[in-house]
Amino acid sequence: MTYTSRTKTLRGALLAAAVLLAAGQAPVHAAPRHGLQGDWLYLTVTRGDSRSSDTRGTLLLCDPPQGHARAAEACAELAAAGGDIDAIPAAGVFCPMVYAPVTAHARGEWKGRQVDYTRTFSNRCVLAARTGDVFALDG
């Protein structure tokens, strides 16, 4: 192999590495913006601490409701709360006092305004009691 061909090979490898590194710098919770119309939220639930890789996510569309098993219920709850997840009435349930943290994240648009919601709850029961069907990604 000549010096010129080694240089070209090295440049190509460095360029490929730079592209891969740049691609890896995108935010993990970036919401897809593909010209979506109406009310939509990209929802994720992460089990464990913030370093966990156990994350589930889905795109909730509300015009018409679709995205996860309880999309119609989630959209109705969001509509009643004006798109404010914190304004969803808490369910009157008793949750166990077990610490198994889950972090809920929602990013998107509701009635033309940006939504960016992140909360960590002590366990899935508390998450469901405080956010209704919005983060019921498993059905």
Side-chain angles (χ1 to χ4, degrees):
M1 190 182 280
T2 67
Y3 176 77
T4 305
S5 62
R6 273 190 265 162
T7 303
K8 286 182 181 178
T9 302
L10 181 58
R11 276 191 206 151
L14 289 173
L15 180 61
V19 168
L20 288 174
L21 285 174
Q25 306 244 341
V28 172
H29 297 292
R33 298 223 38 161
H34 299 290
L36 296 171
Q37 299 295 320
D39 301 326
W40 63 274
L41 296 175
Y42 182 69
L43 306 166
T44 60
V45 175
T46 303
R47 287 192 322 171
D49 61 21
S50 62
R51 297 175 305 273
S52 174
S53 63
D54 187 4
T55 300
R56 292 180 182 249
T58 192
L59 179 64
L60 174 65
L61 302 170
C62 288
D63 198 17
Q66 54 187 327
H68 62 71
R70 297 183 189 165
E73 295 88 345
C75 292
E77 290 171 349
L78 285 164
D84 182 2
I85 297 170
D86 282 328
I88 294 173
V93 299
F94 293 101
C95 292
M97 292 178 56
V98 174
Y99 187 68
V102 291
T103 300
H105 183 80
R107 178 181 239 166
E109 253 183 50
W110 192 268
K111 302 296 180 215
R113 76 174 172 80
Q114 295 295 315
V115 173
D116 193 1
Y117 172 92
T118 303
R119 300 285 183 279
T120 299
F121 298 92
S122 57
N123 58 50
R124 282 192 171 277
C125 178
V126 176
L127 167 68
R130 297 293 311 274
T131 65
D133 290 313
V134 174
F135 291 98
L137 306 183
D138 295 332

